[in-house]
């Protein structure tokens, strides 16, 4: 499965998945149909599936147009997004599996950013390859999504699921927020040398307008404060050794940053 990362709007990423063996494509969170149609034409491939993580328009805005072009394509989304995702056909819950070509994704129910948000995890098909996590607006490189509909407790549970994935799992999140996220991270975890190095790399990449996505779970666990609520530095920065309270305070600080 080849993954094509398409920039959209000011900071969104859309991911086109291409199964070369069967020459079929799927798309994760088509914010805008135009770049997707262009890429599909370029690859000369048929769209068979749309994988939506949640109902926000910068994730589902392309559904209708893509279905006009590819009426046989099916739309996947979370069961609790019923009525909010245009033309949704499948209503997924935690632990469900969906297949695409020779890969099968496991669904994680990850409420927090919205109350219905899901993520798609494609485990590796061989031992020396990484798996792929499409996590929408739940986990970002160096940060996490705002809590629009969910609670800190839900988000901690959701992010905890990602912490259990293999370190080299590729993290395909839906926005290029990494530099700003790491600027904040340095304010709460200033002694973290991995974080400092990452910040310098990301700053350099963004100066040259290069993408910082995908990230990987190992890097996130070392440098993302929103996966580090149980580390002494973050406990000190928030003055709380309660996971949910530590996380909630970090999220509150980031909202003001
Ligand atoms: Zn969103
Ligand atoms: Fe978004």
């Amino acid at each position: 499965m080849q993954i094509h990362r398409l920039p959209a709007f000011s900071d969104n990423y859309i991911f086109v998945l291409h199964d070369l063996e069967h020459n079929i494509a799927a798309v994760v969170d088509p914010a805008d149909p135009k770049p997707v149609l262009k890429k599909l034409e370029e690859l000369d491939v048929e769209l068979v599936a749309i994988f939506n993580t949640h109902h926000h328009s910068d994730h589902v805005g392309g559904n209708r147009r893509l279905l006009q072009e590819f009426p046989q394509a099916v739309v996947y989304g979370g069961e609790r997004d019923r009525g909010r995702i245009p033309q949704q056909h499948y209503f997924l819950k935690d632990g469900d599996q969906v297949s695409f070509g020779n890969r099968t994704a496991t669904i994680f129910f990850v409420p927090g950013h919205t109350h219905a948000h899901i993520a798609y995890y494609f485990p590796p098909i061989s031992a020396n390859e990484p798996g792929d996590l499409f996590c929408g607006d739940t986990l970002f490189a160096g940060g996490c999504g705002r809590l629009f509909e969910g609670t800190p407790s839900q988000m901690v549970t959701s992010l905890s699921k990602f912490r259990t994935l293999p370190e080299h799992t590729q993290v395909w999140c839906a926005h290029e927020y990494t530099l700003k996220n790491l600027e904040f991270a340095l304010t709460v975890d200033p002694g973290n040398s991995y974080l400092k190095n990452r910040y310098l790399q990301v700053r350099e990449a963004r100066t040259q307008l290069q993408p910082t996505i995908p990230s990987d779970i190992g890097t996130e666990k070392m440098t993302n404060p929103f996966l580090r609520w149980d580390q002494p530095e973050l406990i000190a920065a928030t003055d709380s050794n309660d996971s949910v309270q530590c996380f909630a305070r970090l999220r509150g600080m980031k909202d003001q940053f």
Side-chain angles (χ1 to χ4, degrees):
M1 180 170 87
Q2 275 185 356
I3 302 173
H4 299 270
R5 179 196 50 228
L6 316 179
F9 306 141
S10 56
D11 52 37
N12 275 86
Y13 288 122
I14 303 169
F15 304 109
V16 169
L17 317 183
H18 185 193
D19 181 291
L20 295 156
E21 209 176 304
H22 306 89
N23 205 36
I24 52 172
V27 62
V28 180
D29 283 351
D32 181 358
K34 282 181 243 89
V36 179
L37 290 169
K38 187 165 166 261
K39 177 56 76 177
L40 295 172
E41 196 181 316
E42 207 176 285
L43 297 170
D44 191 20
V45 67
E46 189 187 347
L47 184 75
V48 300
I50 296 175
F51 296 123
N52 288 133
T53 62
H54 66 296
H55 74 291
H56 286 158
S57 62
D58 63 317
H59 299 257
V60 304
N63 282 19
R64 285 185 197 284
R65 180 79 185 91
L66 291 172
L67 284 174
Q68 278 170 7
E69 291 295 319
F70 299 95
Q72 73 296 340
V74 291
V75 178
Y76 296 91
E79 60 172 353
R80 297 186 190 197
D81 262 332
R82 188 181 287 270
R84 304 204 296 185
I85 292 179
Q87 287 161 293
Q88 184 175 356
H89 300 113
Y90 287 95
F91 301 86
L92 303 170
K93 58 182 190 310
D94 197 61
D96 279 351
Q97 299 205 316
V98 294
S99 58
F100 169 67
N102 61 354
R103 300 281 293 269
T104 299
T106 297
I107 304 307
F108 291 123
F109 175 49
V110 286
H113 177 65
T114 72
H115 66 67
H117 203 299
I118 59 169
Y120 300 81
Y121 171 60
F122 290 86
I125 41 175
S126 69
N128 41 19
E129 279 178 53
D132 298 292
L133 174 69
F134 296 93
C135 52
D137 289 354
T138 298
L139 177 65
F140 290 128
C144 75
R146 274 178 192 261
L147 302 181
F148 285 120
E149 298 177 355
T151 64
S153 166
Q154 283 178 321
M155 194 58 141
V156 167
T157 304
S158 297
L159 293 170
S160 296
K161 294 179 183 176
F162 298 155
R163 290 209 310 190
T164 66
L165 294 173
E167 307 264 302
H168 55 279
T169 304
Q170 308 269 288
V171 176
W172 303 89
C173 58
H175 289 273
E176 179 62 64
Y177 290 158
T178 317
L179 183 60
K180 193 93 206 286
N181 284 339
L182 296 181
E183 282 168 8
F184 169 74
L186 281 171
T187 68
V188 290
D189 197 5
N192 183 337
S193 57
Y194 296 98
L195 173 57
K196 282 187 248 183
N197 285 335
R198 186 181 186 194
Y199 171 74
L200 293 174
Q201 282 169 19
V202 163
R203 196 178 60 179
E204 178 62 21
R206 293 308 296 155
T207 304
Q208 298 174 33
L209 298 178
Q210 284 167 4
T212 63
I213 307 305
S215 174
D216 64 77
I217 289 291
T219 302
E220 295 309 317
K221 281 163 69 174
M222 297 295 280
T223 57
N224 186 333
F226 297 101
L227 291 179
R228 293 169 56 76
W229 53 76
D230 41 14
Q231 296 299 310
E233 297 82 354
L234 284 305
I235 290 170
T238 57
D239 195 25
S240 176
N241 62 6
D242 175 85
S243 304
V244 172
Q245 192 175 55
C246 176
F247 174 85
R249 288 183 179 172
L250 287 170
R251 190 57 258 180
M253 291 155 87
K254 175 66 168 62
D255 290 343
Q256 305 298 321
F257 184 69

